[in-house]
Amino acid sequence: MSGRSKKNYTTSLQKTLTGINGFDEITGGGIPSHRPTLICGDAGAGKTLFSIEFIVRGALEFREPGVILVFEEKAEDLSLNVASLGFNLKKLQKDGLLWIDHVHVDLSEIEETGLYDLDGLFIRLDHAIDSIGAKRVMLDTIENLFGSFENEAILRAELRRLFSWLKNKGVTAVITAERGHGMLTRHGLEEYVSDCVILLEHRVTNQISTRLLRVVKYRGSLHGTNEYPFLIDEDGISVLPVTSLLLKREVASQRVSCGIPSLDAMLGGKGFFRGSSILVSGTAGTGKTSIAAYFAEASCQRKERSLFFAFEESPQQIIRNMQSIKIDLKKYIDAGLLQIHSSRPTLYGLESHLVAIHKKVKKFKPRTVIIDPITNLTSVASISEVKSMLIRLIDFLQNEGITVLLTALVYDKDKSIQADEGISSIVDAWIQVRDLEGNGERNRGIYIMKSRGMSHSNQVREFVITNNGLELVDVYLGPDGILVGSARQAQELQEATGAEMRTYALSRKDRELERKKLVLEAKIASLNEEFESVRDELNKTFVEEELKKVIMEKNLKHLTQNRNSRNIENGKSNKK
Amino acid sequence: MKKQRVVNDLKNAAKPPPEYKLRLFVTGASPNSVRAITNIRNICDVYLKGRYELHIIDVYQDVALAQKEQLIALPLLIKKLPLPERKLIGDLSETEKVLKALEVDV
């Protein structure tokens, strides 16, 4: 049966895009064109939704009209059920892109009286396909026919005829079937539809359900055989390709600030590489979220979008708490630069978280992503599962060139163990915030455990959270080891006192010198004065004598004149 | 055979309303259809002479009918009267079953 009518399409397998998020990637282009594809799974696995999305996306995105043949739900119920996904089946029907036919199968009212065939179904399908020129067909769930006809041999022959008829008709068909015990389908439909079989599962582990999709068979095409988690939400189905760790991504040498200048300084002064992954680990209450908030703020200040996934706090809580250290995240949220998504880790399975993160990243296109904290994810899965999920996540983000900051909670008890969900080897930079206990107080020390590709400080800094934000303070390295907190402050105070004392002593000496100088200067002044007075004295006698001499001369002259006037005859002799 | 035919074997059927009102949906001249037509005619002739009205409808002539009438398996015989309505599928070769379903007293 596998060889039937396959020769019609010997050329390389044509594929039809489903338009379902991520599915076309894992199948390398969708499901095989002009062939039937079987979608099987348990009740509630998402078979009908998958098929409807295939039809509706085909109509909306590829303008390929589709026919829906439902055996279970009535057409109205179907429209109603998918309306929540934003699919308007009524409008599509009106636009001639969709044809819905509800095949009502009644179990009791039919009597079988001899040989028959399912020509009625063929005619209906043929009519529907020709009426709108359909390229896609969905049969949901054709197995229901098994309940209403006694003659299974006829039914099986007719189904086989139907599938080969669909092939010849050239439509790409999707057929859903319930999963059976030990078989893919309850009635062995996989025998007839052997080109492509997709299995949808709904697995519950630790009370948390994860939806999984697996391509069981895809004749003539390479396909991933992994189980791919998928998510059903308001946008329909999103399948997450499990990205392979090929390590071929492009790297950037650009650096981005982490928002804390002193931490940047420890990282060679420039911060992290763009597109790198950073792990911030630390015990409870060491300020991991604060570092993350700084990182987000720095990103927003660069006008780069940032996406914050919080597993512990609600957005409002984060905004309020960060206001206490002078970070106003609300401003950036309002500006559309920051989005905070909070969810409990137990909301859904690990893989679904990954899908959800994927989707939001694809939608928001951030340059930085923060996940706070990754350790909470262990409540829904084992550590090894968390690790594999994180590897895939980091891989995905780095391929997108997104810088990612993860925080990890380290439990106090096993401080020696580097509890980081084992991802420290795949992150590019690892910062640890650690409690430094002593002197009856708890202080925070920050180290850079590693930072690939850059020089970084090997020192422990004290990490202080103040009303004005985070600060890194050099710890005091003394003879008794490092001093932090109040001990450091005391030490600093002591040093400051010493310094003060020294300056005091210094100034006192200065003053003494000054005074001595003043005294000496005073002495010099008085000596000067003395000298002046001596000189004055000397000058005085000299002047007096001079004066006396002048006066005497004057007097002598006067006297001589007087004598001459009395003795005129002798006047000439006196003139000499 | 291919054309839609209304077969009314009873000459003066207009007088009393027929006791049995039957509709047979067939698909052209497919073997099952041909057999079904032959069989129902025989049954009518033998057991319901003068009491029936039979419409044979070729679905190929009006494909939209298939959806309207919820046709899946063909040939399909619908007993409209007497009530309750019954549906019979197949080539009507199992006469006993047919008679029982039609509630004909043999």
Side-chain angles (χ1 to χ4, degrees):
Chain A
M1 64 201 61
S2 52
R4 110 210 96 96
S5 69
K6 246 181 69 192
K7 293 286 166 282
N8 296 0
Y9 308 99
T10 41
T11 46
S12 78
L13 192 70
Q14 258 184 299
K15 291 182 183 179
T16 297
L17 290 170
T18 58
I20 294 169
N21 246 332
F23 179 78
D24 295 333
E25 286 168 46
I26 60 170
T27 49
I31 58 173
S33 299
H34 320 304
R35 290 170 183 223
T37 293
L38 184 68
I39 315 281
C40 45
D42 294 322
K47 302 182 295 289
T48 304
L49 188 70
F50 187 96
S51 322
I52 287 190
E53 236 194 295
F54 166 69
I55 297 290
V56 172
R57 297 236 182 265
L60 289 174
E61 289 168 28
F62 309 107
R63 306 307 285 179
E64 290 190 357
V67 169
I68 296 179
L69 209 59
V70 277
F71 295 80
E72 277 177 345
E73 294 172 277
K74 287 211 162 154
E76 299 80 54
D77 295 342
L78 199 70
S79 303
L80 229 77
N81 292 352
V82 297
S84 59
L85 299 171
F87 296 160
N88 189 345
L89 299 187
K90 287 252 157 60
K91 190 176 175 298
L92 286 172
Q93 274 175 291
K94 213 181 280 169
D95 294 347
L97 285 165
L98 183 67
W99 183 289
I100 302 179
D101 185 0
H102 172 237
V103 180
H104 175 71
V105 188
D106 205 308
L107 294 171
S108 59
E109 68 188 17
I110 294 175
E111 192 77 40
E112 291 182 24
T113 63
L115 294 173
Y116 56 89
D117 50 44
L118 298 186
D119 268 343
L121 199 63
F122 282 73
I123 291 168
R124 282 163 90 158
L125 204 48
D126 192 51
H127 176 54
I129 292 170
D130 289 346
S131 298
I132 56 166
K135 298 269 187 296
R136 296 169 182 228
V137 169
M138 153 187 175
L139 304 175
D140 179 50
T141 307
I142 200 156
E143 275 188 327
N144 276 17
L145 290 178
F146 280 93
S148 44
F149 296 104
E150 288 164 20
N151 195 333
E152 207 173 284
I154 290 183
L155 199 56
R156 287 188 179 279
E158 285 297 288
L159 286 182
R160 186 171 306 168
R161 190 161 71 93
L162 177 68
F163 295 142
S164 69
W165 177 84
L166 283 171
K167 264 191 179 181
N168 288 332
K169 193 82 189 161
V171 290
T172 310
V174 166
I175 294 138
T176 64
E178 288 262 320
R179 202 169 175 195
H181 293 291
M183 299 203 292
L184 286 173
T185 61
R186 197 168 285 168
H187 298 280
L189 280 186
E190 64 267 28
E191 280 182 50
Y192 313 119
V193 191
S194 51
D195 293 309
C196 182
V197 179
I198 292 157
L199 178 66
L200 304 180
E201 269 185 286
H202 202 177
R203 201 174 298 156
V204 179
T205 39
N206 291 341
Q207 294 136 38
I208 286 154
S209 80
T210 307
R211 293 177 188 275
L212 297 163
L213 177 148
R214 185 159 67 94
V215 182
V216 178
K217 186 173 186 178
Y218 200 143
R219 191 165 282 174
S221 167
L222 289 174
H223 63 87
T225 49
N226 291 334
E227 285 185 324
Y228 299 95
F230 72 96
L231 199 65
I232 296 176
D233 60 10
E234 64 279 4
D235 298 324
I237 289 178
S238 317
V239 187
L240 175 76
V242 181
T243 42
S244 54
L245 282 170
L246 281 177
L247 298 174
K248 278 201 299 196
R249 56 176 170 262
E250 308 237 324
V251 292
S253 52
Q254 201 191 339
R255 304 276 281 263
V256 290
S257 163
C258 65
I260 308 167
S262 36
L263 187 57
D264 281 341
M266 286 175 83
L267 294 159
K270 290 184 229 154
F272 305 108
F273 282 118
R274 182 179 291 289
S276 65
S277 48
I278 302 131
L279 175 70
V280 178
S281 68
T283 45
T286 45
K288 298 180 296 295
T289 306
S290 306
I291 294 177
Y294 260 95
F295 186 68
E297 192 194 25
S299 170
C300 293
Q301 278 169 353
R302 290 192 300 270
K303 295 269 178 286
E304 292 173 3
R305 275 193 287 245
S306 184
L307 199 49
F308 197 122
F309 293 98
F311 292 126
E312 273 179 345
E313 295 170 284
S314 72
Q316 286 75 21
Q317 232 180 326
I318 293 173
I319 291 166
R320 183 200 65 196
N321 295 352
M322 289 308 127
Q323 258 161 4
S324 70
I325 54 166
K326 286 262 169 71
I327 302 180
D328 184 10
L329 294 177
K330 183 136 191 2
K331 189 170 71 188
Y332 302 114
I333 292 174
D334 293 342
L337 282 164
L338 178 69
Q339 277 189 6
I340 302 178
H341 291 284
S342 293
S343 57
R344 286 269 165 224
T346 45
L347 180 65
Y348 29 59
L350 192 61
E351 298 298 345
S352 308
H353 275 294
L354 187 53
V355 177
I357 292 173
H358 253 254
K359 263 190 69 171
K360 281 172 183 135
V361 166
K362 287 270 186 200
K363 203 166 172 185
F364 189 56
K365 297 196 189 328
R367 298 302 301 270
T368 54
V369 167
I370 292 151
I371 298 169
D372 177 44
I374 52 169
T375 24
N376 264 22
L377 292 172
T378 47
S379 57
V380 294
S382 72
I383 287 182
S384 69
E385 283 170 313
V386 172
K387 182 181 175 182
S388 96
M389 175 260 191
L390 288 172
I391 288 175
R392 295 213 304 274
L393 177 65
I394 291 173
D395 203 48
F396 160 70
L397 293 174
Q398 296 200 334
N399 276 331
E400 303 274 314
I402 297 167
T403 321
V404 57
L405 186 138
L406 313 161
T407 69
L409 177 67
V410 182
Y411 296 98
D412 271 319
K413 277 181 186 166
D414 43 8
K415 224 183 255 182
S416 54
I417 301 167
Q418 297 175 343
D420 50 21
E421 310 323 313
I423 63 154
S424 67
S425 61
I426 58 164
V427 294
D428 296 312
W430 181 11
I431 291 166
Q432 198 170 26
V433 194
R434 181 181 277 189
D435 280 334
L436 301 169
E437 245 174 89
N439 289 345
E441 58 178 28
R442 211 164 59 89
N443 295 295
R444 305 176 183 94
I446 190 166
Y447 326 63
I448 295 171
M449 304 290 276
K450 77 169 191 185
S451 185
R452 284 178 183 151
M454 63 179 83
S455 63
H456 53 272
S457 167
N458 66 343
Q459 287 170 352
V460 184
R461 297 288 155 92
E462 191 182 345
F463 176 61
V464 192
I465 301 178
T466 68
N467 287 339
N468 294 318
L470 303 185
E471 268 171 57
L472 301 191
V473 188
D474 287 343
V475 292
Y476 183 80
L477 283 164
D480 306 324
I482 56 168
L483 295 178
V484 289
S486 55
R488 172 182 51 77
Q489 275 168 5
Q491 185 65 35
E492 276 172 5
L493 212 60
Q494 206 177 324
E495 280 185 8
T497 317
E500 189 63 34
M501 293 299 277
R502 272 199 300 282
T503 26
Y504 178 66
L506 218 62
S507 58
R508 207 178 51 187
K509 280 206 175 98
D510 273 351
R511 276 203 300 279
E512 213 173 291
L513 204 70
E514 192 67 23
R515 269 202 298 278
K516 271 214 170 107
K517 196 176 136 197
L518 281 175
V519 170
L520 279 174
E521 272 172 356
K523 269 188 182 161
I524 290 166
S526 75
L527 283 174
N528 263 343
E529 288 297 311
E530 223 175 284
F531 169 72
E532 278 298 316
S533 59
V534 170
R535 201 169 63 177
D536 267 4
E537 201 62 38
L538 287 171
N539 275 352
K540 198 175 96 185
T541 45
F542 179 73
V543 170
E544 269 177 2
E545 266 172 28
E546 192 78 1
L547 214 60
K548 216 185 264 174
K549 194 177 146 200
V550 172
I551 291 170
M552 270 173 67
E553 257 175 42
K554 208 172 155 183
N555 287 349
L556 196 64
K557 216 175 179 181
H558 202 70
L559 210 67
T560 327
Q561 227 167 13
N562 277 349
R563 209 178 286 148
N564 281 351
S565 59
R566 257 183 273 153
N567 196 358
I568 297 168
E569 304 87 24
N570 299 337
K572 274 188 184 170
S573 58
N574 275 349
K575 258 187 192 172
K576 229 191 351 176
Chain B
M1 202 56 115
K2 287 249 163 147
K3 280 172 223 151
Q4 182 184 353
R5 307 189 311 179
V6 177
V7 179
N8 192 341
D9 278 14
L10 201 61
K11 291 261 155 73
N12 30 7
K15 272 194 215 161
E19 197 183 329
Y20 285 89
K21 209 170 176 181
L22 305 172
R23 297 175 85 191
L24 179 66
F25 290 94
V26 293
T27 49
S30 73
N32 285 341
S33 301
V34 173
R35 271 201 301 278
I37 290 168
T38 319
N39 286 334
I40 191 66
R41 278 198 175 145
N42 280 340
I43 289 166
C44 288
D45 276 348
V46 175
Y47 300 98
L48 303 169
K49 204 159 180 72
R51 296 193 284 162
Y52 72 100
E53 186 191 82
L54 176 68
H55 284 253
I56 298 176
I57 299 145
D58 183 357
V59 188
Y60 281 143
Q61 302 303 316
D62 184 8
V63 286
L65 213 59
Q67 187 176 353
K68 222 181 293 163
E69 296 289 336
Q70 279 294 344
L71 303 182
I72 305 167
L74 292 173
L76 171 71
L77 180 73
I78 302 178
K79 179 187 67 133
K80 290 276 185 191
L81 279 175
L83 291 171
E85 197 177 288
R86 287 297 305 264
K87 285 181 180 173
L88 291 85
I89 55 167
D91 59 11
L92 308 167
S93 55
E94 296 170 41
T95 312
E96 263 180 48
K97 260 192 178 176
V98 177
L99 290 174
K100 201 180 160 201
L102 291 177
E103 290 163 33
V104 177
D105 300 320
V106 184

